[in-house]
Amino acid sequence: MKKKALSLILAGAMVLSMSACGGSKEAETTAAATEAASTEAAAEETGAEAEADTKEAADGQTYRVGICQLVQHDALDAATQGFKDALVEELGDAVTFDEQNAQGDSNTCSTIINSFVSSGVDLILANATPALQAAQAGTNEIPILGTSVTEYGVALGIDDFDGTVGGNISGTSDLAPLDEQAAMLNELFPDAKNVGLLYCSAEANSQYQVDTVKAALEELGYTCQYYAFSDSNDLSTIATKAASESDVIYVPTDNTVAANTEIVNNICQPEGVPVIAGEEGICAGCGVATLSISYYDLGVGTGKMAAKILTGESDISEMPIEYAPQFTKKYNAAIAEALGVAIPDDYVAIEE
């Protein structure tokens, strides 16, 4: 009887022991599973954080843009300002500018461009033809946008230019309808005989414009004569000769004249010789009338192009040159009155 009782006690103890062992293994399994799940969750959280960090880095992309402006005058200043305003509107604080002015020296343009290339800017704005030519020579990798450039085929030496430069260059043109500028001269001065074409021979786009206007004026019956100066040092001498031999003077979108309109006005106005200008800034300084674009709007268009290039939305090699959407007949009220020139009603007075 005692032996049977002892056997029952031992059997119970064994059952309890086995139950305890089973519970221990189950607890270990549960603990292991919990730890694995925790590790997986931590990994997922780390991955999410990494993804968030990557997105934040992408969103925090910054861009540095180099601006090379040939010379300081109203038209180029307006184009640069429009460019900066548009790019800041598109990219905000993500864009910074290194803005430099060559003070009318094409060699200085090359120095400025080389500094941009050395510092690794993300994009170059070349404001005016000599700046664009320097940029073309300076890099074939950094995107280059030109503005205030009249004819890209002429500026870059491209035969049969089809409207797209290709490679790392595009931009905007300030080309106004030259035949309509000739027609404007004819509208205001139908009785004139001799037209002097005053321009800087060092500016390829000025040569292109006066050649085109000369052909249009000759078809209208005028006799045209070139008056080319090499730089600002001989502008006064050549302008004096032009004023003494011309009934009317035509000046294209010439940067040297634009920076020295006072010289031209001090010669032409006392001689009673009116000037038809290629753009508003020149007209404001020495002209009677112009068929002109808004250089600020031209700069805005260039800035929008830049934003697309920097963000990867557009490939610069496939971007055609863009042109001003509209042109306005404008006149200089003070000079028109001084010279006794009657201005038609559809002209807009240039704001002083």
Side-chain angles (χ1 to χ4, degrees):
M1 189 71 181
K2 288 181 180 181
K3 289 181 179 179
K4 185 177 180 180
L6 181 61
S7 296
L8 290 172
I9 291 171
L10 290 172
M14 290 176 66
V15 171
L16 289 172
S17 176
M18 290 176 65
S19 297
C21 288
S24 176
K25 288 181 180 179
E26 183 177 349
E28 288 176 3
T29 301
T30 301
T34 301
E35 183 178 355
S38 177
T39 302
E40 184 177 355
E44 289 178 357
E45 183 177 355
T46 301
E49 289 176 354
E51 184 179 353
D53 289 343
T54 301
K55 185 175 186 300
E56 183 178 351
D59 290 345
Q61 176 70 53
T62 59
Y63 310 96
R64 194 157 58 89
V65 175
I67 299 175
C68 178
Q69 181 174 318
L70 173 64
V71 67
Q72 184 176 4
H73 63 69
D74 289 347
L76 300 191
D77 291 349
T80 292
Q81 191 61 54
F83 173 82
K84 292 166 62 179
D85 288 350
L87 204 45
V88 168
E89 182 176 350
E90 295 286 337
L91 301 178
D93 294 337
V95 62
T96 57
F97 301 99
D98 183 353
E99 184 178 348
Q100 299 191 39
N101 194 298
Q103 303 301 325
D105 187 346
S106 58
N107 291 326
T108 303
C109 285
S110 298
T111 301
I112 292 170
I113 294 299
N114 290 337
S115 72
F116 291 160
V117 174
S118 297
S119 64
V121 298
D122 298 298
L123 184 141
I124 294 171
L125 174 72
N127 192 348
T129 299
L132 178 66
Q133 292 169 332
Q136 180 194 35
T139 178
N140 59 8
E141 296 180 356
I142 298 173
I144 299 166
L145 286 176
T147 193
S148 312
V149 176
T150 304
E151 218 289 326
Y152 280 73
V154 172
L156 301 177
I158 304 172
D159 294 330
D160 301 321
F161 180 59
D162 64 359
T164 301
V165 177
N168 65 321
I169 299 175
S170 188
T172 56
S173 169
D174 62 358
L175 180 63
L178 299 175
D179 57 339
E180 293 183 27
Q181 289 186 351
M184 169 182 282
L185 188 151
N186 181 242
E187 177 184 34
L188 296 176
F189 307 104
D191 297 327
K193 303 297 182 183
N194 301 310
V195 178
L197 306 170
L198 181 66
Y199 68 103
C200 180
S201 58
E203 297 187 33
N205 278 307
S206 292
Q207 184 72 61
Y208 169 80
Q209 290 174 81
V210 295
D211 287 346
T212 305
V213 168
K214 179 176 183 288
L217 287 172
E218 288 176 343
E219 287 187 3
L220 294 170
Y222 293 94
T223 298
C224 299
Q225 178 66 42
Y226 292 120
Y227 294 92
F229 56 91
S230 58
D231 56 38
S232 60
N233 293 322
D234 62 345
L235 172 58
S236 178
T237 300
I238 300 301
T240 299
K241 181 175 175 59
S244 67
E245 299 176 351
S246 308
D247 300 317
V248 182
I249 288 175
Y250 172 79
V251 177
T253 57
D254 187 283
N255 289 293
T256 309
V257 173
N260 296 278
T261 56
E262 186 176 359
I263 293 175
V264 176
N265 189 54
N266 288 344
I267 293 168
C268 292
Q269 188 172 329
E271 288 290 325
V273 179
V275 174
I276 295 296
E279 58 91 10
E280 181 177 339
I282 295 175
C283 189
C286 65
V288 169
T290 182
L291 178 66
S292 185
I293 67 169
S294 165
Y295 276 82
Y296 179 84
D297 290 346
L298 193 71
V300 169
T302 318
K304 290 179 178 179
M305 293 175 73
K308 291 178 181 178
I309 294 165
L310 291 172
T311 59
E313 181 180 342
S314 296
D315 181 349
I316 190 172
S317 68
E318 299 175 354
M319 300 177 78
I321 300 303
E322 295 186 7
Y323 294 82
Q326 62 184 17
F327 308 91
T328 305
K329 289 182 175 182
K330 294 193 172 184
Y331 73 101
N332 184 320
I335 293 180
E337 182 179 359
L339 296 180
V341 179
I343 302 296
D345 293 338
D346 59 338
Y347 284 64
V348 177
I350 296 173
E351 296 182 4
E352 296 182 4

